[in-house]
Amino acid sequence: MSDEVKKLVDGFHKFRTKYFVKDTELYEHLNTEGQSPKTLVVGCSDSRVDPALLMQAKPGDIFVIRNVANLVPPYEKGGGFHGVSSAIEFAVNGLKVESIIVLGHEQCGGINALLTGDYNNHSDSFISSWMKIAIEAKYEVLREMPSAPLKDQLNSCAKKSVLISMENLMSFPFIQARMKDQTLKIYGWFFELDGGRMLEFDYEQRKFVEI
């Protein structure tokens, strides 16, 4: 067993001591009553951006979907497997979450691949195919700021991709119904690794502002 895996094993034992030995009430409740999170978070797979850690959430507080670049595909019935869409359906229809947060971040590898085309020469690249969900964000950035430094282009593209995912959420009929009933709200958040700020998309100002 590698040293890194041993660290994870030690971490599990600390977790077990905290929740199953010293303070059993939380997991006894979750075990008997089941989960009932009120918030769905669509986050990135990036190891630096763990939604539960960033928000200091306890077990059972949030339902999390993580994928490359925290993307939400548009609603569609056909095609291949729909892991993200099925998880969204379960959260909205099964768990009856009241909020959905699309959580983007700086220095996203998926956004870098989208903007620079690192994987475009690989016809069998899963990443290249997946990132096409946010292709309009790339086009907008190249139109609006073609001469800007790459870092600024990447941050802008990452924020625009959050908005695309928010729009794609609205393409799901069951989300449309919940929004119409005013029982579900959608938020766009953006975590800045440089400085540790969390931004939220302000619908009125049409821009991201610090929370």
Side-chain angles (χ1 to χ4, degrees):
M1 185 182 296
S2 69
D3 290 340
E4 290 301 314
V5 173
K6 287 179 181 177
K7 284 170 58 178
L8 300 179
V9 172
D10 291 341
F12 168 73
H13 286 299
K14 292 177 182 177
F15 160 81
R16 185 178 185 280
T17 298
K18 179 177 180 179
Y19 289 107
F20 288 87
V21 178
K22 292 183 178 179
D23 183 10
T24 62
E25 184 176 347
L26 174 59
Y27 264 93
E28 285 179 353
H29 174 79
L30 292 173
N31 188 38
T32 57
E33 302 296 330
Q35 63 170 326
S36 56
K38 300 300 181 185
T39 303
L40 162 63
V41 179
V42 182
C44 184
S45 301
D46 193 300
S47 61
R48 300 165 295 180
V49 193
D50 183 339
L53 183 62
L54 290 179
M55 303 171 193
Q56 293 294 284
K58 295 180 180 179
D61 283 351
I62 57 177
F63 188 80
V64 181
I65 301 170
R66 299 182 71 175
N67 61 54
V68 173
N70 45 267
L71 295 181
V72 174
Y75 174 80
E76 61 178 358
K77 295 287 288 185
F81 300 106
H82 301 290
V84 172
S85 298
S86 64
I88 291 170
E89 180 183 31
F90 176 67
V92 174
N93 289 346
L95 298 175
K96 306 295 183 184
V97 296
E98 299 172 359
S99 303
I100 301 176
I101 298 173
V102 180
L103 176 61
H105 68 98
E106 282 185 329
Q107 301 178 30
C108 178
I111 295 298
N112 184 75
L114 171 67
L115 199 56
T116 63
D118 284 351
Y119 288 84
N120 288 351
N121 294 327
H122 304 278
S123 59
D124 59 346
S125 170
F126 294 113
I127 294 175
S128 178
S129 177
W130 175 252
M131 291 309 301
K132 289 178 181 178
I133 294 172
I135 193 68
E136 288 302 322
K138 173 181 179 177
Y139 294 154
E140 286 184 22
V141 167
L142 295 180
R143 272 198 313 267
E144 296 172 1
M145 46 194 308
S147 301
L150 179 59
K151 179 181 178 180
D152 294 340
Q153 289 181 333
L154 289 170
N155 285 345
S156 179
C157 191
K159 290 175 180 176
K160 290 179 182 297
S161 74
V162 169
L163 302 184
I164 288 174
S165 287
M166 293 169 69
E167 291 176 1
N168 286 345
L169 282 168
M170 286 299 299
S171 69
F172 288 76
F174 51 84
I175 289 181
Q176 294 174 12
R178 290 282 307 279
M179 295 286 286
K180 184 177 181 180
D181 293 342
Q182 297 185 340
T183 59
L184 181 67
K185 293 184 178 181
I186 297 175
Y187 301 89
W189 287 13
F190 189 81
F191 178 61
E192 294 183 338
L193 276 76
D194 183 10
R197 296 195 310 163
M198 185 71 78
L199 310 180
E200 179 181 1
F201 182 71
D202 186 299
Y203 285 92
E204 294 185 358
Q205 300 185 58
R206 301 302 300 173
K207 66 178 184 180
F208 284 86
V209 297
E210 187 171 4
I211 294 177

